[in-house]
Amino acid sequence: AQKVTQAQTEISVVEKEDVTLDCVYETRDTTYYLFWYKQPPSGELVFLIRRNSFDEQNEISGRYSWNFQKSTSSFNFTITASQVVDSAVYFCALSSPVGSTLGRLYFGRGTQLTVWP
Amino acid sequence: DTGVSQDPRHKITKRGQNVTFRCDPISEHNRLYWYRQTLGQGPEFLTYFQNEAQLEKSRLLSDRFSAERPKGSFSTLEIQRTEQGDSAMYLCASSFDRGREDTQYFGPGTRLTVL
């Protein structure tokens, strides 16, 4: 069974602080894909990144970085020098292949990040 | 290139009424998904279509729920005899089937309140 755990329900930081959002996943599949989505107050889920299980290379995109470690089944997300606009709910999700395509997404419960000015 | 659109954005109904939501995917996307999100939870999968074929349904999709995608373009999700427990955000996502390279892109959601 697929499962994603985001243990941090809420995090509050002051602007310019660095913050890391944790994601731990469970799957029996050897091939799988991990995702992060951002959900601002408007409600729309915004895609941030996808990673496949064979690519453990960390990724950096501007102030965002992701650390994927298969040994600990974790896919953590760090925001450097946080800004008020980063305030949102962040979801980690997992998907496994169904034949030659990807199946449904399994989401964690999300982490509400609040960045104070 | 417009994103996924959903209509209406908000719906308030009385218990026992039927409601229908619409989702228009990104134009070239052949896959369409429906998810439900309750307060404080992550989205949960309901069903998905590849073109006009409904390929998978979650056990969350009770007999009161029906989804269609008649021409492989837009989709509708109908809930019959609504119950208070149906109050949630209903999210639609679409993707282009590139094998294992497809990524789901989400619409703004329809927030349903059942009184």
Side-chain angles (χ1 to χ4, degrees):
Chain A
Q2 323 286 14
K3 185 178 180 182
V4 175
T5 301
Q6 294 179 256
Q8 304 152 308
T9 306
E10 295 182 23
I11 299 177
S12 288
V13 298
V14 177
E15 212 170 16
K16 298 184 182 177
E17 286 185 16
D18 299 347
V19 58
T20 296
L21 309 182
D22 297 333
C23 172
V24 174
Y25 61 91
E26 295 176 32
T27 179
R28 294 180 182 175
D29 296 322
T30 54
T31 301
Y32 51 89
Y33 291 75
L34 296 164
F35 301 79
W36 277 95
Y37 285 85
K38 173 182 179 180
Q39 188 174 42
S42 61
E44 183 169 343
L45 281 162
V46 178
F47 167 73
L48 295 177
I49 191 172
R50 61 178 280 144
R51 253 312 185 246
N52 72 56
S53 53
F54 298 106
D55 183 2
E56 287 193 73
Q57 193 170 11
N58 292 333
E59 179 151 345
I60 298 174
S61 176
R63 296 184 298 107
Y64 295 170
S65 62
W66 290 270
N67 181 271
F68 175 32
Q69 292 195 339
K70 287 179 74 171
S71 61
T72 55
S73 297
S74 65
F75 185 43
N76 296 338
F77 173 29
T78 297
I79 302 175
T80 303
S82 59
Q83 300 176 1
V84 172
V85 293
D86 295 327
S87 296
V89 181
Y90 291 85
F91 290 97
C92 181
L94 169 70
S95 181
S96 293
V98 178
S100 62
T101 61
L102 281 187
R104 65 169 79 171
L105 289 168
Y106 294 85
F107 285 88
R109 295 181 67 171
T111 297
Q112 168 72 61
L113 173 65
T114 302
V115 181
W116 298 100
Chain B
D1 182 25
T2 57
V4 178
S5 61
Q6 293 186 245
D7 184 70
R9 295 291 306 277
H10 302 274
K11 179 71 177 179
I12 300 174
T13 191
K14 293 182 179 179
R15 189 177 53 178
Q17 298 294 305
N18 298 344
V19 294
T20 300
F21 310 141
R22 176 178 170 130
C23 171
D24 287 88
I26 294 171
S27 58
E28 68 270 21
H29 285 185
N30 57 347
R31 288 191 149 197
L32 188 148
Y33 302 78
W34 286 99
Y35 291 83
R36 182 173 70 184
Q37 184 181 18
T38 53
L39 198 61
Q41 303 294 320
E44 294 177 292
F45 171 81
L46 292 178
T47 187
Y48 91 91
F49 294 83
Q50 172 120 350
N51 301 312
E52 64 273 12
Q54 189 173 17
L55 296 187
E56 188 178 359
K57 292 193 289 187
S58 162
R59 66 178 186 276
L60 292 175
L61 213 66
S62 75
D63 291 345
R64 297 183 297 103
F65 287 69
S66 64
E68 294 183 345
R69 194 183 184 198
K71 297 182 179 179
S73 57
F74 72 91
S75 174
T76 58
L77 178 67
E78 181 183 16
I79 309 175
Q80 296 182 328
R81 305 181 302 282
T82 53
E83 301 173 355
Q84 288 186 328
D86 297 331
S87 295
M89 174 79 90
Y90 290 84
L91 294 164
C92 176
S94 71
S95 70
F96 182 70
D97 181 8
R98 295 186 181 91
R100 296 177 180 182
E101 294 304 312
D102 67 349
T103 294
Q104 295 177 34
Y105 294 91
F106 284 80
T110 294
R111 183 170 296 283
L112 173 66
T113 302
V114 181
L115 302 177

